[in-house]
Amino acid sequence: MRVITQQTLGGPEVLTVVDAPEPQPFPTEVLVRVKAIGLNPLEARLRAGEFPLIGRPPFILGWDISGVVEEAPGTWRFRPGDEVFGMPLFPRAASAYAEVVSAPALHLARKPASLSHVEASALPVVGLTAWQGLVDLGGVKEGDRVLVHGGGGGVGHVAIQIAKALGAYVITTAGGSKRTFVEEFGADEVVDYTAVDFTDAVRDIDVVLDTIGGDTVERSLEVLRPGGHLVTAVAEEDAELIARYEAAGMRFSGIAVQPDPDALRGLVELVEQGRLRVHVQETFPFERVAEAHRLLDAGHLQGKLVLTV
């Protein structure tokens, strides 16, 4: 099989397509013939060596996959021929930039028929992050006012839809060029952060979901109502910020996404109900991974990028 690996840390040019032996699944794992691979900004940071989540090179990046089960030894969950998708093993290396991936069956779900493999591969990391942030940590309920920072991004546009499905009134920050995009996904209000300070435009928020980090997290304290909750996917552990929020009578939670079969099934249900879709900005053939990573490095994406295999 072919894999995308790197021998050194650096820019997109370090990513190389090479031949490698197929992995051997353990009992309870399945062997998946990959059809599409979702790309995430985290992978560009790991490639560049910004933090050593999966160790030093050589390694194979990636977690988001959609494909077809080839082998399913010792598990009743899937059979060969089943179409599946998921985010196996995170934060351990899943080596998903590959034509074949071995993954725990519990970390996968059956691909909804309404989603192509490209769309399905784009959903797991962003969908699970948004679900765990809004449902599990945020406890969003009908009538809540939710602020999603970065509504035009991968996590953001999915979070808008999940919050709407929970019955929330959703406000999002987004650049002016993304206004129509986020409104199409259900945002009730859009704050153009290039023209307006969100702390002047927003008040009485029950739950903030942050995908931006930096001083956005700090300043979000100003828009929460008493007892409000900030959930951030960026600043997971910041003792000083936690203390500030608690002193003000607010809650602060950081989320590190993890495989979650219940949440994955929840995402599937929303997709099947027609209440959730994922936007793919652009697809790239497997061999053009470096080009895709240059777009990851540039940022300001609408939705997701996907490699096709």
Side-chain angles (χ1 to χ4, degrees):
M1 69 168 185
R2 295 180 305 161
V3 303
I4 297 166
T5 188
Q6 61 183 90
Q7 298 298 316
T8 62
L9 301 172
E13 69 280 356
V14 303
L15 297 170
T16 307
V17 179
V18 301
D19 291 322
E22 290 190 4
Q24 298 300 310
F26 289 101
T28 76
E29 291 187 342
V30 296
L31 200 66
V32 179
R33 176 69 58 176
V34 176
K35 299 295 185 182
I37 304 160
L39 305 184
N40 297 284
L42 170 64
E43 291 144 27
R45 298 181 64 194
L46 294 174
R47 182 211 71 227
E50 293 186 17
F51 58 92
L53 181 65
I54 54 175
R56 302 285 300 178
F59 52 62
I60 300 170
L61 295 168
W63 286 275
D64 276 340
I65 60 169
S66 183
V68 180
V69 173
E70 285 201 340
E71 298 178 25
T75 178
W76 49 266
R77 294 180 182 276
F78 301 109
R79 294 180 178 179
D82 286 344
E83 295 186 321
V84 297
F85 78 114
M87 181 198 73
L89 296 174
F90 190 90
R92 290 171 50 202
S95 300
Y97 285 15
E99 291 181 323
V100 180
V101 170
S102 184
L106 196 62
H107 295 177
L108 303 172
R110 283 178 172 79
K111 181 183 74 65
S114 61
L115 292 184
S116 67
H117 282 294
V118 166
E119 293 166 324
S121 74
L123 182 57
V125 166
V126 297
L128 290 173
T129 300
W131 183 282
Q132 291 166 13
L134 294 171
V135 178
D136 298 332
L137 275 172
V140 173
K141 60 187 183 301
E142 187 170 359
D144 279 352
R145 287 170 57 83
V146 172
L147 172 61
V148 176
H149 283 304
V155 174
H157 84 290
V158 171
I160 291 169
Q161 297 171 80
I162 292 174
K164 291 300 295 181
L166 294 169
Y169 183 88
V170 181
I171 305 167
T172 188
T173 59
S177 63
K178 294 184 178 181
R179 173 178 291 275
T180 301
F181 178 77
V182 296
E183 287 176 340
E184 288 175 353
F185 287 100
D188 296 294
E189 291 183 33
V190 183
V191 178
D192 180 355
Y193 68 84
T194 66
V196 179
D197 188 325
F198 75 89
T199 61
D200 294 329
V202 180
R203 283 291 179 272
D204 297 325
I205 298 298
D206 295 286
V207 177
V208 173
L209 180 66
D210 166 58
T211 69
I212 305 298
D215 69 349
T216 298
V217 180
E218 206 168 325
R219 295 190 300 122
S220 291
L221 182 60
E222 301 176 38
V223 305
L224 286 167
R225 65 175 39 159
H229 194 170
L230 178 128
V231 180
T232 177
V234 183
E236 291 92 351
E237 295 181 8
D238 188 321
E240 184 179 338
L241 271 177
I242 292 171
R244 286 189 58 192
Y245 270 77
E246 290 179 348
M250 314 295 185
R251 289 177 291 166
F252 179 104
S253 298
I255 180 172
V257 67
Q258 56 189 299
D260 184 339
D262 292 333
L264 203 55
R265 284 192 293 270
L267 294 173
V268 169
E269 288 179 11
L270 289 183
V271 169
E272 292 175 337
Q273 293 166 4
R275 306 174 81 180
L276 176 62
R277 58 190 174 94
V278 61
H279 176 75
V280 176
Q281 175 177 312
E282 194 168 350
T283 63
F284 296 84
F286 196 71
E287 300 80 4
R288 289 170 54 197
V289 61
E291 186 177 339
H293 264 245
R294 290 187 187 98
L295 276 185
L296 285 179
D297 285 347
H300 300 290
L301 299 173
Q302 280 192 175
K304 292 290 295 289
L305 304 177
V306 170
L307 292 181
T308 55
V309 184

